[in-house]
Amino acid sequence: MEFLLIGESKIKIVLSGEEAEKHGLNSGTPDISGPAARRAFWRILERARAEVGFDPAGDKVLIQLYPISSGGCELFATKLGILSDSSARLVAKSDRVAMLSKKRSLYSFDELEDIIAASVAVRSVARDLSPASDVYTDGARYFLAIEEYGKGGEPMEFPCILEFGNAMTAEASTYISEHAKRLTDGNGIELFSKL
């Protein structure tokens, strides 16, 4: 994988055919804004952050994908900062462009069975990808903090969680992480889906 910074807000990433295949981003990728592709893009961007310091955290990110003759692809990632929803919808209409956002969401559950059911539902949607997540308890309720990847303006990746629990505010996330007991270490969905 090659990284070329183009200013502070843009990076070009070149993947070989083997690397593109490994990340599921070959020329036959049907939906570059689908959940599997979004997670692949974020894994690549996390590597770019580690290797060359390109950090899109907190920004919406525009991803452009162009296949190359060697079987690989070129990705251009651009941090968009504050972009209105109407502008985001216009940009997202291209078939070779994906809008990405990443956030850590918090949900509450009244019963152990509810968080187990939500974990099973997330695993069925995410398939072989297990999202980073932590489970907390305050003795009376359970809380799930999960990393969700959206399509720019999309509020959440796993709306199925709302069938079993309630979304909480970002402020509540800080309180829960400081005052509740953490039961897992980044693998909450994986562990609780097996209970």
Side-chain angles (χ1 to χ4, degrees):
M1 208 173 299
E2 295 177 41
F3 301 102
L4 174 64
L5 284 172
I6 307 170
E8 290 182 25
S9 63
K10 190 168 189 170
I11 188 169
K12 175 182 176 181
I13 305 167
V14 180
L15 283 78
S16 68
E18 186 177 299
E19 290 166 332
E21 192 69 36
K22 173 185 168 194
H23 289 286
L25 299 174
N26 55 28
S27 60
T29 302
D31 181 10
I32 69 164
S33 64
R38 287 192 306 254
R39 290 195 169 276
F41 292 140
W42 280 109
R43 282 192 306 271
I44 293 166
L45 290 174
E46 286 168 4
R47 185 168 164 192
R49 181 181 52 79
E51 290 191 24
V52 296
F54 182 80
D55 189 3
D59 278 327
K60 290 179 183 174
V61 180
L62 171 70
I63 299 288
Q64 297 167 282
L65 172 83
Y66 301 100
I68 53 179
S69 60
S70 66
C73 62
E74 291 181 341
L75 297 176
F76 290 88
T78 307
K79 294 189 271 187
L80 297 177
I82 299 171
L83 184 67
S84 71
D85 288 339
S86 61
S87 296
R89 281 191 296 274
L90 286 173
V91 170
K93 289 188 179 194
S94 170
D95 64 344
R96 289 286 173 207
V97 172
M99 294 281 295
L100 303 178
S101 62
K102 177 169 89 170
K103 71 176 188 170
R104 190 152 172 92
S105 303
L106 182 70
Y107 301 92
S108 68
F109 304 88
D110 293 330
E111 304 290 333
L112 176 63
E113 293 79 21
D114 294 332
I115 194 167
I116 291 171
S119 298
V120 169
V122 168
R123 281 297 295 250
S124 70
V125 171
R127 293 187 178 81
D128 59 342
L129 303 170
S130 190
S133 57
D134 288 308
V135 174
Y136 297 84
T137 187
D138 64 1
R141 294 178 297 166
Y142 293 89
F143 304 93
L144 173 66
I146 184 170
E147 204 166 74
E148 292 187 276
Y149 300 97
K151 294 182 189 176
E154 183 180 84
M156 65 182 60
E157 182 178 8
F158 304 112
C160 59
I161 295 173
L162 295 176
E163 294 177 35
F164 308 99
N166 299 304
M168 299 185 71
T169 65
E171 294 80 24
S173 182
T174 303
Y175 179 84
I176 295 301
S177 66
E178 291 176 0
H179 294 86
K181 179 180 180 183
R182 187 166 78 175
L183 302 176
T184 62
D185 190 21
N187 58 351
I189 290 293
E190 186 177 341
L191 292 177
F192 274 68
S193 68
K194 295 177 182 175
L195 294 180

